[in-house]
Every structure is written in structure tokens, then in C-alpha cells.
Amino acid sequence: MRRKQRELAQMIALDRGVGEIARDLGLSEGAVRHRISRTLRTTGTRSQAALVGWCVAHGVVTVEELRRVYACNCGAPAGGPAGG
């Protein structure tokens, strides 16, 4: 994987939107979408969600980075603590 593709994959994994990526890289949104498609093909993934898993497996991002970005409360009840 090329350095620029790795950088793009990291941005996607860290929940950066197409518009934000386009501004940061000085590209059009269409060009970013095209690069995302190429990156998915390169990694053998079919979705941006699958790309996140690929990024973790290949050291592009860490689980801790994802936790910070997504502020995950995985497994927590929707209504807060029981008996609350």
C-alpha cells in the first residue's frame, strides 16, 4: 500500500468525512471518492467499515484511537446504569 493510500485509510478509519478529507488534501470530493474506491480494492475490503478492521489489523490505527474517536460505550445499556 502506498503512503498516500495508508494516510487516506487512516483518515477514513478515524471517521473523517469525504468533504473534510478533500479540504485537507486539496482535492475534489469526487477525487477523494475515487481514491477511497482504489484503497478498498487495494486492501481487499468492500466497505469503509471493513477498511476500519483492516486498518487495525495492519497497524494503521489502534483500537485505542478508535475508542477516542468513536467514544464507544460498547455493551452499556441505552438507558444508563440499571436501577438508576
Side-chain angles (χ1 to χ4, degrees):
M1 171 180 269
R2 293 180 174 152
R3 181 186 55 81
K4 288 188 177 188
Q5 282 184 318
R6 189 175 179 90
E7 179 182 326
L8 179 63
Q10 181 181 41
M11 291 173 143
I12 293 165
L14 296 177
D15 203 30
R16 305 277 301 278
V18 170
E20 187 178 3
I21 293 170
R23 280 189 304 278
D24 287 353
L25 299 180
L27 301 169
S28 71
E29 289 186 16
V32 170
R33 286 188 189 94
H34 179 73
R35 288 181 180 203
I36 290 170
S37 294
R38 283 194 333 216
T39 301
L40 293 175
R41 279 194 303 275
T42 298
T43 59
T45 56
R46 293 181 176 222
S47 68
Q48 291 183 24
L51 181 61
V52 173
W54 186 95
C55 286
V56 170
H58 291 86
V60 176
V61 296
T62 66
V63 172
E64 188 56 41
E65 287 175 303
L66 296 178
R67 283 190 182 126
R68 280 194 302 268
V69 169
Y70 291 96
C72 182
N73 290 318
C74 302

